Amino acid sequence: MNPGRLKKRVTIMRYKDTPNELGNTVSRLQRHKAVYAEIRPVRGREYLEYYKDSNSLEYKITIRYVPDLLPSDVLEYHGRQFLINSIINVEEQGYIQEVMCTEKIHEKKPEAEDGV
């Protein structure tokens, strides 16, 4: 593998239980570690759900092998969050991983006005 392909700095975020000001335990995303990655879009899908338009973009993010990466982790790149769908250990070699992720973008389009 050409290491020059991994040129984007991605942060692995993990949910951790922390107490809030009332003493209750809440799960919050916290920075776990940062790695270099290659981010490639796989496909986009548009669908109509309960009268609102929504886009679902799927990405293949290639990183060096991280043994403690969990499917519940979230990858973050420049304020964008990618939810992990699956983690593939390429050729079972333990040196590179392909992480299939979904980035959801919600946009509400303006409704048509009567008489226009």
Side-chain angles (χ1 to χ4, degrees), residues 66-115:
V66 178
D68 63 341
L69 185 64
L70 303 172
S72 61
D73 291 343
V74 176
L75 301 180
E76 187 175 78
Y77 177 70
H78 288 296
R80 298 164 54 196
Q81 291 187 344
F82 300 93
L83 305 175
I84 296 176
N85 297 333
S86 63
I87 303 168
I88 301 164
N89 183 1
V90 178
E91 297 178 6
E92 295 297 321
Q93 296 279 331
Y95 70 95
I96 194 166
Q97 288 175 318
E98 290 180 350
V99 184
M100 304 305 288
C101 298
T102 303
E103 177 190 23
K104 291 212 178 222
I105 303 171
H106 298 286
E107 294 178 13
K108 186 171 182 177
K109 294 185 178 181
E111 297 179 17
E113 296 179 19
D114 292 326

Side-chain angles (χ1 to χ4, degrees), residues 20-33:
N20 64 4
E21 55 276 352
L22 297 175
N24 298 328
T25 303
V26 292
S27 291
R28 292 195 177 139
L29 274 177
Q30 293 182 350
R31 184 174 193 250
H32 179 62
K33 64 175 69 165

